[in-house]
Amino acid sequence: MKRNIIFAAVILVIGALSGLAVYFYHYFYPEQYVKNEQGEYVNTTVSANKDTFPITKNTTFEIQHYYPDDNKTLTEQIDTIPDLLGRDKEGVSNYLKGYMEHISHEEQEMGLTSYDLVSYHDNHITLRKTYKKAEVKGYYAKSFNGTIVILNGDEKTVYEYTQIPINVLPENLQQEVISGYYLETDEALYSFLENYSS
């Protein structure tokens, strides 16, 4: 009788421990089901491929936009990059190289200088785009309402509004100023202003 009670107690303890083990396993490793193309629910915790390469529809991406001049990084999460599907690590490197060889005008203006593979693990890839401010040199003399305005080398920001009328310039120089006359150095700018200021 005493032996039966001990046996029953041991069975109860083993059962309780097994139940706790199953509970904690499901708590820390919850099953996730995703509907596949055939309409069946698949347990992704069992079937998910943890290898990063080749890239599949399950691969996730993080793109970092890094601005070293401002010491700032903006991050965006992307579900997929269609052009990378099926590629291995070398294929990703080739894609990034090709991307930089054919960057859009918009990204050129933003100062994109590199696009790199930063890390890859557990079916997640981190890429980084680095943007640097273009170094602006020189000045431009342009005509504005009949007078000459000096712009910085970016041809957008005004350096100085002058009172020099455009018609005091030689005729050939007037045509150059209308389209934008480039002055490479501070000395060239000061010489230009000195020559044509009254």
Side-chain angles (χ1 to χ4, degrees), residues 69-113:
D69 298 319
D70 302 322
N71 195 23
K72 179 173 70 172
T73 302
L74 304 175
T75 303
E76 67 175 313
Q77 304 294 328
I78 293 180
D79 291 332
T80 185
I81 298 177
D83 289 342
L84 292 181
L85 282 174
R87 293 189 189 227
D88 59 7
K89 185 181 175 187
E90 185 181 348
V92 172
S93 296
N94 290 337
Y95 166 80
L96 297 175
K97 183 179 176 187
Y99 188 96
M100 287 306 298
E101 288 172 357
H102 302 95
I103 58 175
S104 67
H105 180 68
E106 182 185 354
E107 286 195 302
Q108 280 181 342
E109 284 192 340
M110 290 170 64
L112 180 64
T113 58

Side-chain angles (χ1 to χ4, degrees), residues 141-143 148 164-183 188 191-193 195-196:
K142 286 200 169 186
S143 172
I148 295 169
I164 304 171
I166 191 167
N167 57 14
V168 302
L169 302 178
E171 205 167 297
N172 62 331
L173 191 53
Q174 286 182 33
Q175 292 306 313
E176 287 190 62
V177 168
I178 287 169
S179 59
Y181 181 64
Y182 182 63
L183 301 154
S191 173
F192 175 84
L193 294 173
N195 286 340
Y196 298 109

